[in-house]
Amino acid sequence: MREIRESINKTYSAKEYQVAVVGGGIAGISAALAAARNGAESVILIEKEFMVGGLATLGLVTYYLPLCDGNGRQVSFGISEELLRLSIKYGAESPNWYPKAWLENGSEEEKKQQRFKTQFNPYVFAILCEELLLKAGVTILYGTSVCSVGRTGNKVDTLFLENSSGRTAIAVESVVDATGDAVVCRLAEEDTAIFTQGNVLAGWYQYLDQGKNCVKILSLEDYPEETPEQFRPDIRYYVGSDAEMLSEMVIDSHKMLFEDWLKKKEENPDSTLTAIPAIPQVRRTWRLNGRSVRDDDPSAHFEDSIGVIANFGKRGPAYEIPFSCLCGNRVVNLIAAGRCISVINKMWHTARVIPACSVTGEAAGTAAALGNDFSSLSVPQLQKVLKKNGVLISL
Ligand SMILES: Cc1cc2nc3c(=O)[nH]c(=O)nc-3n(C[C@H](O)[C@H](O)[C@H](O)COP(=O)(O)OP(=O)(O)OC[C@H]3O[C@@H](n4cnc5c(N)ncnc54)[C@H](O)[C@@H]3O)c2cc1C
């Protein structure tokens, strides 16, 4: 190893934005839409890849998990429902995953039987989301990584970007961290925590078999609470905390899925590999360690609740999400959304899925439209706007 010092003494002419949303996954899409629709004058969505959707599209995770509690009651509304409907505007990927009871006025009994979830085509969904964002007036900046931030006191006022133009900067009033890995929180020296237990290897892929587009879900089940030792001590876990480990994980995933597909090819020489994940399939890496850390008690109620999410694995429980678990303790104009909000490990398992990311994204984007100091933002005012937009705030 060598010590290398970079000295950058450069002046930037920076565009100004009221709201910058970093990361164009489901949380970022929801946050940017909410900010633009709720009166933010200028909203920029910064995405390092060249497609929106994050894990849900580039990562080929195409199952939109339930908006309902499994007992016939819908708990997540607003943009999370809008995006589910949008994702299958041109049809669900398989008839089994079309939520007929919910979209075609089913009876209460039918809604108890069938959960409000679906399977979508990742490319159709990404393009439709892009259209929706542009229609709402959001500026999308693709191929751009936020690589550093400038802070004055307890506020982030600058984002430094790297893209094909080189290194540039924008001036911001507030920032939504929807990077999935709490990248902006870490750059801003907000308090964060890492999922030390690590991720199981995943390699979901798509292939054409006898003219039919198929999805192969190649991964072990995630483990909600057990440590690796209790769960499967014999396999490797990937913490995904840095680029080297993520690269190793992606290479191992490619090997695993390719071997699997080659076996299919032996059985059926016409089989064609059509899509592999374009970003690492990590479930949990870094998260905000916020003003509060949400546990997994479904009976807990919060005065500052900003939305409700379901439990995809169990029928019955649903969870209010407090505003305080989107906000940090150090930087007052930075708010987290999606799979990097502040929750205990067991709750992380539930709060990281697509509909939940949309719920927290909508709340974060709405808050950013209302002000740029989340430590003093009027939560009743935020709740009023969310309710007006159809969000269920509490149970
Ligand atoms: C193997 C696996 C299976 C899963 N199964 C399901 C399932 O069946 N159903 C379900 O609902 N959920 C499932 N999930 C979870 C779900 O897909 C994700 O947690 C959710 O989509 C995350 O959304 P997000 O917007 O928070 O983050 P991401 O989707 O991770 O989006 C973050 C975005 O930020 C961008 N970004 C990151 N850093 C920067 C930066 N510095 N500058 C600019 N852009 C940046 C990334 O490129 C990415 O597009 C699964 C996840 C995995 C890994």
Side-chain angles (χ1 to χ4, degrees):
M1 286 280 198
R2 286 166 53 196
E3 292 274 310
I4 295 176
R5 188 185 157 84
E6 186 190 19
S7 48
I8 299 177
N9 187 6
K10 200 175 159 188
T11 305
Y12 298 90
S13 70
K15 285 190 187 159
E16 292 171 42
Y17 291 93
Q18 184 181 337
V19 179
V21 178
V22 187
I26 296 298
I29 293 168
S30 306
L33 283 175
R37 289 173 178 174
N38 288 294
E41 275 178 18
S42 50
V43 181
I44 185 166
L45 178 64
I46 302 163
E47 169 53 53
K48 69 178 174 185
E49 307 293 338
F50 280 90
M51 192 193 277
V52 289
L55 277 164
T57 58
L58 290 150
L60 296 184
V61 174
T62 54
Y63 295 87
Y64 206 116
L65 285 172
L67 302 172
C68 70
D69 69 352
N71 288 335
R73 176 180 59 159
Q74 185 176 344
V75 294
S76 301
F77 293 84
I79 292 176
S80 64
E81 180 181 343
E82 181 184 353
L83 292 185
L84 181 148
R85 287 173 181 267
L86 185 73
S87 75
I88 51 169
K89 185 174 172 190
Y90 295 101
E93 278 293 269
S94 85
N96 294 344
W97 281 77
Y98 176 69
K100 190 166 189 285
W102 294 91
L103 299 182
E104 295 183 21
N105 245 336
S107 66
E108 283 192 9
E109 202 40 54
E110 284 166 330
K111 287 180 178 171
K112 279 184 189 164
Q113 298 300 323
Q114 186 187 39
R115 293 196 78 172
F116 195 174
K117 61 183 180 178
T118 197
Q119 187 195 357
F120 54 85
N121 178 295
Y123 309 111
V124 172
F125 188 32
I127 291 171
L128 291 174
C129 286
E130 185 182 83
E131 282 178 8
L132 199 63
L133 288 158
L134 294 175
K135 195 167 155 222
V138 174
T139 300
I140 303 174
L141 193 60
Y142 280 135
T144 302
S145 278
V146 170
C147 55
S148 172
V149 304
R151 249 180 80 173
T152 304
N154 59 5
K155 284 192 173 170
V156 168
D157 52 17
T158 314
L159 296 180
F160 293 96
L161 315 176
E162 278 178 5
N163 55 27
S164 58
S165 315
R167 191 174 164 91
T168 58
I170 58 169
V172 293
E173 284 180 34
S174 61
V175 183
V176 179
D177 185 342
T179 59
D181 304 317
V183 175
V184 187
C185 291
R186 285 183 283 138
L187 292 172
E189 296 179 350
E190 185 47 88
D191 193 13
T192 54
I194 190 162
F195 186 58
T196 49
Q197 297 173 23
N199 292 267
V200 294
L201 191 62
W204 296 25
Y205 68 93
Q206 299 194 355
Y207 63 101
L208 214 52
D209 208 17
Q210 293 171 350
K212 197 170 168 275
N213 192 39
C214 306
V215 176
K216 179 75 188 264
I217 297 183
L218 198 62
S219 75
L220 288 164
E221 279 296 304
D222 193 15
Y223 53 97
E225 48 192 316
E226 298 92 341
T227 62
E229 292 72 34
Q230 291 163 321
F231 179 68
R232 282 279 308 270
D234 55 317
I235 58 166
R236 176 161 181 206
Y237 294 86
Y238 301 79
V239 178
S241 54
D242 58 50
E244 280 84 6
M245 194 176 283
L246 284 172
S247 302
E248 266 181 60
M249 183 179 178
V250 166
I251 291 164
D252 290 349
S253 165
H254 287 165
K255 276 186 198 149
M256 175 173 75
L257 71 84
F258 199 57
E259 273 168 25
D260 191 81
W261 175 73
L262 282 175
K263 279 189 209 139
K264 286 192 191 306
K265 182 93 179 148
E266 258 172 45
E267 287 160 22
N268 173 12
D270 289 338
S271 179
T272 309
L273 186 58
T274 49
I276 64 170
I279 58 174
Q281 289 187 323
V282 279
R283 290 171 163 105
R284 291 173 278 185
T285 56
W286 295 90
R287 65 162 175 83
L288 171 71
N289 200 21
R291 268 178 15 215
S292 77
V293 187
R294 175 65 164 107
D295 66 15
D296 68 325
D297 177 5
S299 69
H301 297 285
F302 301 93
E303 269 192 12
D304 66 338
S305 176
I306 47 77
V308 181
I309 64 170
N311 184 317
F312 63 88
K314 262 190 217 156
R315 287 177 183 267
Y319 309 84
E320 292 181 3
I321 303 293
F323 183 56
S324 52
C325 74
L326 310 187
C327 307
N329 290 298
R330 298 180 189 154
V331 187
V332 296
N333 66 339
L334 173 62
I335 187 162
R339 67 181 174 90
C340 56
I341 64 165
S342 179
V343 284
I344 65 163
N345 284 350
K346 200 170 166 195
M347 187 60 187
W348 207 345
H349 180 66
T350 306
R352 71 181 168 81
V353 297
I354 292 170
C357 289
S358 181
V359 167
T360 57
E362 178 166 8
T366 307
L370 296 180
N372 65 355
D373 182 342
F374 304 121
S375 66
S376 62
L377 188 91
S378 162
V379 176
Q381 172 64 10
L382 169 62
Q383 292 168 325
K384 198 170 146 198
V385 177
L386 288 167
K387 271 189 206 160
K388 184 187 86 195
N389 293 332
V391 173
L392 178 70
I393 297 295
S394 49
L395 289 160

